[in-house]
Amino acid sequence: MSKWIENKEGMRVLLMGNEAIVRGALEAGVHVAAGYPGTPSSEIIENLSKVARERHLYVEWSTNEKISLEVAAAASFAGLRAICPMKQNGVNVASDFLLHLAGSGTRGGLVLVSCDDPGALSSANEGESRHFARMIEIPLLEPGDFQEAKDMTRWAFELSEEIKNIVMVRSVTRLSHASGSVRLGKLPEKKGTAEFRFQGPFLNPDTGPVSSMPVAYHHDLQHKKLDRVRELFEESPFNTYEGPEKPELLVITSSACTLYCREALNLLGLKDRVGLLKLGTTWPLPPKLVKSYLAKAGKILIVEEVISFLEDSVKILAAEQAAEIGIKTFYGKNDGSIPMIGELNPDLVAAGLSKIMGVPYLSMDGAYEKEAQEAAGSLAPGRELNFCPGCPHRASFWSIHKALQLDNRQGFVCGDIGCYSLGALPAGFQSVKIAHAMGSGLGLACGFGKLGDFGMDQPTIAVCGDSTFFHAVLPALVNAIHQEAATLLIILDNSGTAMTGFQPHPGLPINAVGQEAPKVDIARVCEAMGAKVVIRDPFNLEETRATINALLEQGGVKVLILRQICALSPEKKGKEDYRMQIDESRCLGDECGCNHLCTRIFRCPGLIWDKGTKKSRIDEVICVGCGVCADICPNGAIMREEPVSL
Ligand code: SF4
Ligand code: SF4
């Protein structure tokens, strides 16, 4: 049994931030959880799915974040408690429904957890979700450590039920994925009962129909709810102050930045001179509390990731209160004391603090960083951004690249977000020339496909993954077919949401809790929409290449499904199709005219260029025996053999 599910109140355990959020939801008696995978949020649904049976939960991986929020909201409307975790990009996807939901209000406690990714450690952007809380006018909580991740999540359900509206809890990668000590609370025993009541008066929030209309009435009500939130936030134990009564500088921070600030103040020996106001309730700000601390100091530094969200809010409040608290000097992102972009760390905070306070500090970004990089370069093997050994995407992009070269009309690939984003790099033979949001590859290809009247005759290929197909490609495919766009959609079907850890999607016969579920057949869906559909095995390079060339010659919308299971999937891991050998007598390396094509261009990590012998060889530890490289060697030196059965 995982330690975070133990029912031992008061016990201290080491929990990852996302596990602490899960524990908080369980202690709150959550009934329903729905989400879409996205690093750094994925562990929340994964962990809840593991205990779904014993804790009487309904848990699902939904088709996308908007749908997951709708599923969670249904539970709330029926009087249950529900959680909906997603990464920052997911909040964009869910925001349409979220705007309506914030207007209609909720019934059972409903908590949206947004796990943001400052520094884009596992994302294609570092956009952040806090602005949605302000834009949509819902309360925002930001845990500053692991205990708070649990306690705040639990309290967020109570807050949601008190104000009858959704509450957002915002985590960041360093909190979601790091671990810390957490004292467990009690797990409730009760099982919820669901009933959606709608027979009451139209505007009765508990028994009437649920809607954000009439807008004026609901918007006014929403503002009254926010007034109550401000009152509660004034007294919140999640807002704390540490430091002198009259600090020379007041640092205001939130989230994981709290830990960076504490460490930076320690490093600089400034704890007796600088005050630290840690806010856990960051929107709406508790005005009296913030004002009382602003009044203590003339200089204010705001430390946060990524955008100057807190800084802007505090400045507005300070301007409104200026007559009483006086004019303040602000430091933060806007004056360059704290970097405008990227993830923070204690070093960056210390560098900003040292300048403001005029104390010496040797930032690590000089000699230390250089030394660390040199040590890492010599002690750890260098790794380029590459597809895994045996990855079907490498084979797919090889064929796409070859087909576009042969087609010779300056064709290009529109991609999106997934493992296959590497298609823009040498790993994918630089085939992808445009990559944006999930599903946007086909929307863009559809747009390019309609530019024929303006003289554009470059063929366009859109690529997407199988999970992305359900998440966001379906509407783009409908559009492409209806608008008769000349385009080819290639679905890189590796049978799972591979990038985030093989979570199931609607194309698989299994659901989030491991039960059998109806499988939605991608090919039949595309055919039913009116697309011409072809299915190929990307490991068959020549057949795939020839198919792409043939499809590029045809008009209308074509769908090519390249189906081969991910090399790292549990079903495939450890099983090799072939034992690979390189015939040294045939491999002529530099001399062979191919200029070691296999290691220089094809770049599977299972192939090594031996600088001593000047020949390629197979790395038997890394090669997973997919056999694809045998078809790319122009000299026939790479050979497949049947695997040795043990
Ligand atoms: S294995 Fe084939 S492709 Fe690789 S270096 Fe030798 S001859 Fe060239
Ligand atoms: S068989 Fe070739 S392509 Fe496949 S994993 Fe091994 S080295 Fe890589």
Side-chain angles (χ1 to χ4, degrees), residues 455-491:
M456 186 165 177
D457 64 354
Q458 296 165 265
T460 52
I461 295 176
V463 294
C464 73
D466 39 336
S467 186
T468 306
F469 174 78
F470 293 108
H471 179 283
V473 171
L474 278 166
L477 184 56
V478 172
N479 191 59
I481 289 166
H482 182 64
Q483 309 301 342
E484 298 182 295
T487 195
L488 168 60
L489 168 64
I490 299 184
I491 301 171

